[in-house]
Each structure stands twice: as C-alpha cells, then as structure tokens.
Amino acid sequence: MNLKECFLIDAHCDTLCKLETNACSLKKNDLHVSLEHLAAYGGYVQLFAAWVDDACDRPLRRVLTLIDTLYHHLEQNRESMQLILSGENLKSALFSGRIGAMLTVENGNVLEGSVSVLRMLYRLGVRAMTLTWNGENELSDGAACKRGAGLTAFGREVVREMNRLGMLIDVSHLSERGFWETLSLSKHPVMASHSNAKAVTDHPRNLTDEQIRALARRGGFIGLNLYPPFLHKSGAADITDCLRHIEHMLSLGAEDTLGLGSDFDGVSSLPQGIQNARDYSRLFEELYKRGYSDTLIKKLTHENFLRFAQGILL
C-alpha cells in the first residue's frame, strides 16, 4: 500500500507526557508517535492529550506544563506542523501535507472546580476534553468507580459551556451513568476518543452495544483503542483482535461513527504487528484483504472524525 495516498486522524495519544518526561524530540524518537512516523502518510492529524492523573495534587499546573510542551514542539517544527483551532484548520492540515496537531485535555480535574479555567484552556488552544479519567473528580465518576455516579452540577455546567465554546466532549473513561447523562444534556454529538466494544472484550473501559448504537444515532465518534487488554481478555492481542472490534461496531451501525484512537504512548504494549503510528498501514492492509471498500476504509481512517469535528469546532 502507498502510504502517501493515505490520510489519517488519530483521536488520542499520550505522547506529550512522554515528551515532557523524557525531554526528547518529537521529530525523531523511540516513542509510538514521532513526526518521522506521521510524515510517512499523505496527511496526518494527531490529537495530543494533556493527561493528568487523578492523584495529581496540582492538576492545573500539570496541564499547563503539558500544553507548554506541545507549543515548544510546534515552534521547533513549525515548517511541518500546524496547530488546529477550527474545523477549517482541521481539513486544511489533513490535506496540506503538514502534520496537524489538536490539543486536548484528559481529566476534568484540571479545572479545579472552575468553569473559568475551561474558558482559559480554550483560549490556550484546547479543543477537546475527556471529562474524567478512571476515578472521580468534580465533574463525575470515572469508569473505575464502583459507585458509578453521574454528572455533578458542576459537570453539567461544564458540558453546557463546552457546547457553547465549540469544544469536543470526550466520554472515554466516564462512568456509564455519566455517559448517558452527557448524551442527554449535550446539544452536540460527543466522542469516545479511545474506547472499544465491551461485547467483544468485557472491560470497564469499553462501550456496551447500547452505548455504541447511541453514539452512532447521535452522529458521534468512537476511536478504536489499541491497548491489548481492551482488545482481548488475555491481555495480549494482534491485528485480528482489532478487526473483531471493528467488525462488531460496524455491525451495530457505526459505519459513519468509527475511527482511530490509538492511545499511543499511553499504553505499556500494543497489538502484535503494530509498534508505532507508521504501522497503522498493517491494519488497513488487513481490511483490504477482507474486502472492505475504499469508501469504508476512508471513513475509518479520517472521514468520520472530520465530519464529526467540523460540525462542532467553531
């Protein structure tokens, strides 16, 4: 397959944390994501998550450090990278030959209970936020909370303000109750940027069939996560397991909803046959072998996310 004819959008990676910790170059490194890997494709947009742990005692300071990390690497690679701030930026970056970078926040604890912080993060370029990580925060319980509580009053305020600003709401990691309350409250479709199918692999971080159908009906987005424990109950996986999740979600009506959300550099292992972003090509080759059409593969690689995000980003 000619990679220069492929266009990709990946809805989630944790590379910023690795760049900040290791003080390495984004252009060339040993991580899952590097500009060298992404430049192999005709066009590539990567959503870079500024992830903050539930246990962090100064979450706002931490997220600002990670945002600064992205801006540092944008400056170092300004000839080849473009920051995405709007739907128009998203499309132009994908098809311009430059690498698009969209800034996201993973964990609403960074707001420290203030919607003013959300507005300031938007002004700093943040265009999406995962409402929780695995635990509870001021917005809601996460997927690992046994209590399973939904949105708090502050969480509802944040959802409404993200709608007003034109930010992408990410329900990956959210409790199931919080998921349904967010879908009910949000006037825009929402995404699960890095989540798989629970019917295929029974893991708290995966989506039920009902959730997948609801995201599809509402015009939302689901990004396939490449973390092996989310792909197979044994904790080990290969490309065939990725295909099992893809085919199951497609069977539920997700043809216009499903895309990519690797979790690169946020996971301790990847499926056999995939070592970094360049190896996405091996997944697409398998789809071709199984008779998937060019039309459907383009939806999965970039068109579904492009359609979803352009309808929300201002």
Side-chain angles (χ1 to χ4, degrees), residues 3-256:
L3 295 188
K4 285 299 182 183
E5 295 177 357
C6 296
F7 298 88
L8 271 71
I9 302 176
D10 186 311
H12 187 85
C13 79
D14 287 296
T15 308
L16 290 182
C17 295
K18 292 289 182 71
L19 292 172
E20 194 273 333
T21 301
N22 300 334
C24 56
S25 167
L26 179 58
K27 189 170 186 178
K28 187 174 182 177
N29 57 52
D30 294 325
L31 304 178
H32 298 152
V33 173
S34 72
L35 300 188
E36 183 179 47
H37 298 323
L38 307 191
Y41 297 91
Y44 204 112
V45 170
Q46 181 66 64
L47 275 67
F48 287 91
W51 168 68
V52 178
D53 194 294
D54 289 324
C56 181
D57 59 355
R58 302 184 73 178
L60 179 54
R61 178 173 176 172
R62 175 61 178 162
V63 82
L64 291 176
T65 298
L66 293 171
I67 290 172
D68 180 66
T69 298
L70 179 61
Y71 275 98
H72 168 75
H73 289 282
L74 284 165
E75 177 63 23
Q76 292 293 310
N77 300 282
R78 56 185 177 274
E79 75 288 348
S80 59
M81 290 186 72
Q82 175 181 338
L83 181 65
I84 292 170
L85 297 173
S86 68
E88 184 177 347
N89 287 162
L90 176 61
K91 187 173 183 178
S92 66
L94 184 63
F95 298 113
S96 70
R98 303 181 83 201
I99 293 165
M102 186 186 297
L103 180 59
T104 79
V105 164
E106 186 175 19
N107 200 342
N109 68 347
V110 306
L111 303 181
E112 297 186 359
S114 172
V115 75
S116 298
V117 173
L118 177 71
R119 288 190 284 268
M120 290 307 300
L121 291 176
Y122 180 86
R123 294 181 180 110
L124 289 174
V126 175
R127 290 298 179 266
M129 185 172 73
T130 313
L131 300 183
T132 67
W133 195 51
N134 289 327
E136 64 179 282
N137 62 24
E138 295 95 338
L139 285 73
S140 179
D141 279 6
C145 292
K146 292 183 179 179
R147 180 178 61 173
L151 295 177
T152 64
F154 178 64
R156 292 191 289 273
E157 182 183 9
V158 167
V159 168
R160 287 190 289 265
E161 186 64 4
M162 291 181 73
N163 279 171
R164 187 189 72 82
L165 290 169
M167 293 179 71
L168 309 180
I169 297 172
D170 190 353
V171 295
S172 283
H173 288 283
L174 194 58
S175 69
E176 188 167 350
R177 181 175 173 184
F179 171 96
W180 290 112
E181 291 177 351
T182 301
L183 255 65
S184 177
L185 179 61
S186 178
K187 69 178 184 179
H188 294 311
V190 305
M191 68 174 175
S193 67
H194 55 304
S195 297
N196 296 339
K198 194 168 188 177
V200 179
T201 304
D202 189 5
H203 191 285
R205 274 279 288 106
N206 287 341
L207 300 167
T208 66
D209 286 0
E210 189 177 4
Q211 289 175 308
I212 294 166
R213 289 192 185 99
L215 288 168
R217 285 195 303 268
R218 289 284 305 273
F221 176 81
I222 302 168
L224 180 75
N225 191 311
L226 298 182
Y227 187 38
F230 298 168
L231 291 167
H232 194 278
K233 63 182 181 180
S234 70
D238 57 22
I239 290 175
T240 301
D241 295 303
C242 297
L243 297 176
R244 289 169 60 233
H245 284 265
I246 290 172
E247 292 176 347
H248 182 76
M249 288 191 270
L250 290 177
S251 76
L252 299 175
E255 178 177 335
D256 297 320

Side-chain angles (χ1 to χ4, degrees), residues 298-312:
K298 287 178 181 178
K299 287 183 178 184
L300 300 179
T301 57
H302 65 281
E303 289 181 351
N304 284 344
F305 185 87
L306 187 63
R307 182 267 316 155
F308 161 74
Q310 281 193 300
I312 298 170

Side-chain angles (χ1 to χ4, degrees), residues 231-303:
L231 291 167
H232 194 278
K233 63 182 181 180
S234 70
D238 57 22
I239 290 175
T240 301
D241 295 303
C242 297
L243 297 176
R244 289 169 60 233
H245 284 265
I246 290 172
E247 292 176 347
H248 182 76
M249 288 191 270
L250 290 177
S251 76
L252 299 175
E255 178 177 335
D256 297 320
T257 304
L258 184 59
L260 306 172
S262 63
D263 218 351
F264 282 143
D265 292 313
V267 296
S268 56
S269 62
L270 289 170
Q272 184 178 353
I274 298 178
Q275 295 182 333
N276 53 55
R278 190 184 180 104
D279 290 336
Y280 260 140
S281 59
R282 296 180 179 178
L283 176 60
F284 310 143
E285 286 168 356
E286 289 300 318
L287 292 173
Y288 278 117
K289 288 178 183 177
R290 293 196 178 202
Y292 283 73
S293 67
D294 286 346
T295 298
L296 180 54
I297 291 174
K298 287 178 181 178
K299 287 183 178 184
L300 300 179
T301 57
H302 65 281
E303 289 181 351

